[in-house]
Amino acid sequence: MTARAADRARYDRATAHLDAPLAIVDLEAFDANADDLVRRAGGKPIRVASKSVRCRHLLERVLAKEGFAGIMSFTLAESLWLARSGFDDVLLAYPSADRSAFAELAADPKLAAAVTVMIDDPAHLDLIDAARDGGGEVVRVCLELDTSLKLFGGRVRVGARRSPLYSPAQLADLARTVVRRPGFKLVGIMGYEGHIAGVGDDVAGRPLRSRAVRLMQATARRELAERRGAVVRAVRAVAPDLEFVNGGGTGSVQTTAAEDAVTEIAAGSGLYVPRLFDNYTSFTGRPAALFAMPVVRRPGVGVVTVLGGGYPASGAAGPDRLPVPYLPEGLSYDSQEGPGEVQTPLLGSAADDLLIGDKVWFRHAKAGELCERFTGLQLVEGDRVTATVPTYRGEGHTFL
């Protein structure tokens, strides 16, 4: 029996009393992935990206482990909710225009002490001040660095279009604006190098593309390490009490941690290990989060149909954004239909061994987005479900 077949047997036994659709997290795999992230971080703390987890129970579990500290959130409303729930170090990874949430933040000493907001433009400060509604608490601020690689005089750009702040001078200039402005405190710098951390460099069947990605990433790492170091020096000259410099992601933990200027690493997807992280030479994780759909039809030889399954991930549309049938091994989509909203045909010889009501296990393309489809996660230990915990959605929150 292969390791995957053994996992399927365990998951089927653990959930035999439960009807699909359902989602699980294998706690042994989850904990092993967490340990691997800590090992790769080389002693620098890891701030957990909540968008990749979207379950308070599992956020608490990983933050109880040595090597993890703080949360990187994805909306301001989520940040306030987490702070009210007892998380005392929440960095909002994206600028916000949520005026009502800013009014809450500026009016509550506990929230203001726990939450740090992201800016990359003086207009963000203006919006916060206009939203204060009398709240006088000091708002903690982090500046975001554009980490993209620019080649040929800027005519070629590699990386996400995020912050407009690229050079040390630009970040130092905004730092001066923050420091001079009453009601704000500059505490950090963040830069997410998605073109390094979020792009696989070993794509099956595409050796030339993989080689090109590795070359690009090597060039980008060298350029960013030098520029980020200069940025941090320039900003520290303005704000000597800077508390943190955050960088990285699951795919770049060890290389980002090697930068002297970086004080902490961000990672979250590496806990669940969705399918987009199968194509990396830098690490190998264990799939920890899966969802199961029931077989509801057997249209013919070598074909079964499962309920639903069409859960695409965000990003540029393409086959790599689709969930993948994982267990039993050997199933694939019908190219004429793909994963559907209400039903999904699956092809392959493994289909002939499946009966009506059997579970087919899938891996999502991305991590936390799976939790937007389910109100709860079944926590599996060995071949038993030991707890059912709510996702954000299960607690009544769909932040984004």
Side-chain angles (χ1 to χ4, degrees):
M1 181 181 289
T2 66
R4 279 173 60 174
D7 282 341
R8 181 198 175 200
R10 284 197 302 116
Y11 300 151
D12 282 348
R13 286 195 300 271
T15 62
H17 62 297
L18 300 172
D19 288 330
L22 59 84
I24 67 166
V25 170
D26 183 332
L27 290 181
E28 181 181 327
F30 180 90
D31 290 342
N33 293 334
D35 292 342
D36 184 63
L37 288 169
V38 171
R39 177 190 62 78
R40 292 197 286 135
K44 291 188 176 178
I46 298 171
R47 185 179 291 274
V48 183
S50 63
K51 77 177 183 66
S52 299
V53 179
R54 303 194 200 201
C55 170
R56 279 200 300 169
H57 176 89
L58 291 175
L59 288 172
E60 290 167 353
R61 183 184 183 93
V62 72
L63 285 170
K65 294 178 176 292
E66 186 175 352
F68 290 87
I71 288 176
M72 177 175 282
S73 59
F74 60 99
T75 75
L76 184 54
E78 178 213 14
S79 305
L80 302 187
W81 177 65
L82 290 172
R84 290 194 182 97
S85 301
F87 298 96
D88 60 4
D89 181 6
V90 183
L91 169 62
L92 176 59
Y94 306 89
S96 176
D98 189 338
R99 291 175 173 82
S100 62
F102 276 127
E104 292 180 53
L105 178 68
D108 189 315
K110 178 184 175 181
L111 297 180
V115 175
T116 300
V117 303
M118 191 69 61
I119 72 165
D120 59 35
D121 191 307
H124 293 134
L125 303 177
D126 296 338
L127 187 147
I128 295 169
D129 272 339
R132 283 179 182 273
D133 194 27
E137 295 299 323
V138 172
V139 174
R140 292 166 53 86
V141 167
C142 178
L143 307 182
E144 180 167 0
L145 164 67
D146 174 12
T147 65
S148 64
L149 175 64
K150 295 183 179 180
L151 303 170
F152 306 109
R155 292 189 297 276
V156 174
R157 172 196 178 98
V158 182
R161 296 185 180 276
R162 293 176 60 116
S163 171
L165 305 175
Y166 188 83
S167 70
Q170 288 175 312
L171 278 99
D173 188 49
L174 184 53
R176 281 187 285 272
T177 299
V178 176
V179 168
R180 293 169 182 166
R181 190 148 175 169
F184 296 94
K185 181 181 180 182
L186 178 59
V187 298
I189 301 171
M190 188 274 279
Y192 172 56
E193 52 269 37
H195 52 302
I196 302 171
V199 178
D201 63 349
D202 187 19
V203 183
R206 304 190 68 180
L208 294 180
R209 173 179 168 80
S210 298
R211 193 174 302 121
V213 169
R214 288 194 290 272
L215 178 61
M216 175 277 291
Q217 290 179 338
T219 302
R221 281 194 294 268
R222 289 192 297 269
E223 186 278 334
L224 179 58
E226 181 178 346
R227 180 161 53 90
R228 181 152 44 198
V231 163
V232 172
R233 289 191 295 273
V235 173
R236 286 196 185 279
V238 177
D241 297 330
L242 207 64
E243 296 175 14
F244 64 85
V245 177
N246 181 282
T250 289
S252 71
V253 171
Q254 61 269 43
T255 55
T256 304
E259 294 184 35
D260 291 338
V262 173
T263 66
E264 63 175 41
I265 311 300
S269 295
L271 297 168
Y272 287 171
V273 186
R275 65 166 295 197
L276 283 178
F277 287 93
D278 287 349
N279 303 317
Y280 284 73
T281 57
S282 59
F283 78 106
T284 300
R286 292 175 56 183
L290 299 94
F291 67 93
M293 308 305 288
V295 174
V296 292
R297 286 177 171 164
R298 291 171 50 88
V301 176
V303 186
V304 292
T305 302
V306 299
L307 183 72
Y311 301 161
S314 59
D320 65 339
R321 300 292 144 167
L322 301 178
V324 61
Y326 184 61
L327 302 171
E329 299 178 66
L331 295 174
S332 61
Y333 293 125
D334 182 335
S335 62
Q336 300 299 310
E337 296 192 45
E341 177 187 11
V342 291
Q343 71 164 36
T344 298
L346 297 171
L347 312 181
S349 59
D352 294 329
D353 295 324
L354 291 168
L355 304 177
I356 300 295
D358 283 353
K359 296 180 177 78
V360 175
W361 297 90
F362 293 77
R363 294 172 64 199
H364 204 276
K366 298 185 77 172
E369 292 182 24
L370 166 65
C371 294
E372 298 300 335
R373 301 287 184 167
F374 296 91
T375 58
L377 299 171
Q378 311 298 323
L379 303 186
V380 173
E381 296 184 72
D383 60 359
R384 295 187 304 121
V385 169
T386 56
T388 302
V389 295
T391 60
Y392 280 11
R393 179 180 173 184
E395 296 200 67
H397 296 288
T398 51
F399 291 110
L400 198 61

